[in-house]
Amino acid sequence: MNYTHPVKTIAVPVKGTDQLFPVTRIYCVGRNYVAHAQEMGFTGREPPFFFMKPADALVIVADGEVGQMHYPSLTKDFHHEIELVACIGTGGKNIKAADAMKHIYGYAVGLDMTRRDLQGEQKKLGRPWCIGKGFDESAPISHIVPANKVGDIVNADINLTVNGKVTQTSNLKLLIWNMAETIEHLSAAWQLQAGDLIYTGTPEGVAAVVRGDVLVGSVAGVGELKIKVI
Ligand code: MN
């Protein structure tokens, strides 16, 4: 039998250069802002927890362009979650928080798109979240900005508008587990690798979108991510 398919490299461009950042894995942090944890029915500081998306779920959108994502199958409650994405430049195991920030090559603006109804069913049944979180085109992302060009990311504003109306607005300083602590926890469980992306969690204000909606996410110093649901 002749078995062959093309090699597919997933890579995110680095803004303002001709460089590409090849992607290894996509990790996502759950419930990492207090006000979002509360809107999902939880309170207090729980240990960080993680889920993953496949690298080919990325929808890469260049600065100044409006990307497109298809309204996914099986859902009637397709939610946006604006998130800062930390891009790992050098991997490691058991990285301490104090050393963690130097493992970050750069940052991007991302959307952790969620089939909330399916996620909710899986939660109720104690089943994995894959179908709610790790589906096709579930991870829109902007181009990457190197960390040394981003400025004060720890105190950066993060926002999302849908059709020009603000739905999510917060600041990175309100992360429950900051990026350094997240990397410490993640790298205790997995060997982080160059090319890993970490979706760091979403603030409050998650809501459903429908076909035709235009989402504009932004993180101060990193830029914008514009995408239309088709
Ligand atoms: Mn999320």
Side-chain angles (χ1 to χ4, degrees):
M1 188 166 69
N2 182 22
Y3 177 73
T4 177
H5 63 272
V7 174
K8 193 157 94 176
T9 304
I10 314 285
V12 181
V14 178
K15 194 149 106 180
T17 73
D18 53 9
Q19 279 188 297
L20 290 171
F21 183 88
V23 175
T24 308
R25 295 175 178 168
I26 304 176
Y27 297 98
C28 304
V29 187
R31 294 196 287 266
N32 204 16
Y33 290 80
V34 170
H36 173 61
Q38 286 168 347
E39 76 181 348
M40 300 307 287
F42 295 84
T43 52
R45 195 189 207 210
E46 55 185 342
F49 68 92
F50 309 102
F51 57 91
M52 295 173 85
K53 293 180 187 250
D56 67 357
L58 290 172
V59 180
I60 299 164
V61 184
D63 221 36
E65 289 182 4
V66 183
Q68 296 191 331
M69 64 178 152
H70 293 88
Y71 195 94
S73 61
L74 303 181
T75 186
K76 293 187 172 66
D77 199 21
F78 183 38
H79 272 209
H80 59 68
E81 296 192 357
I82 183 69
E83 309 201 359
L84 174 72
V85 182
C87 310
I88 298 296
T90 49
K93 223 175 169 174
N94 296 318
I95 298 165
K96 289 294 156 216
D99 302 321
M101 296 305 275
K102 60 173 183 270
H103 289 261
I104 298 176
Y105 166 72
Y107 298 97
V109 183
L111 281 163
D112 166 16
M113 298 305 297
T114 303
R115 295 195 277 209
R116 190 72 72 200
D117 42 1
L118 299 187
Q119 183 201 24
E121 284 169 27
Q122 302 312 305
K123 276 186 193 172
K124 234 182 284 167
L125 295 166
R127 290 180 181 164
W129 289 6
C130 297
I131 199 167
K133 288 290 196 178
F135 53 95
D136 299 344
E137 302 186 355
S138 60
I141 191 168
S142 71
H143 286 189
I144 294 169
V145 180
N148 59 12
K149 296 195 173 143
V150 163
D152 183 14
I153 193 66
V154 172
N155 295 293
D157 287 332
I158 180 167
N159 293 293
L160 181 78
T161 67
V162 178
N163 303 328
K165 188 172 164 257
V166 177
T167 55
Q168 294 190 268
T169 182
S170 190
N171 188 285
L172 269 297
K173 68 177 176 229
L174 296 176
L175 281 169
I176 296 172
W177 298 94
N178 65 34
M179 280 179 277
E181 293 167 329
T182 294
I183 287 171
E184 177 169 323
H185 280 92
L186 258 182
S187 68
W190 290 275
Q191 172 147 9
L192 283 184
Q193 301 175 63
D196 286 342
L197 304 180
I198 305 170
Y199 280 62
T200 54
T202 197
E204 69 276 20
V206 301
V209 295
V210 297
R211 282 192 185 87
D213 284 348
V214 176
L215 287 62
V216 180
S218 67
V219 176
V222 180
E224 281 191 345
L225 166 62
K226 293 186 196 172
I227 193 160
K228 183 175 185 174
V229 184
I230 62 169

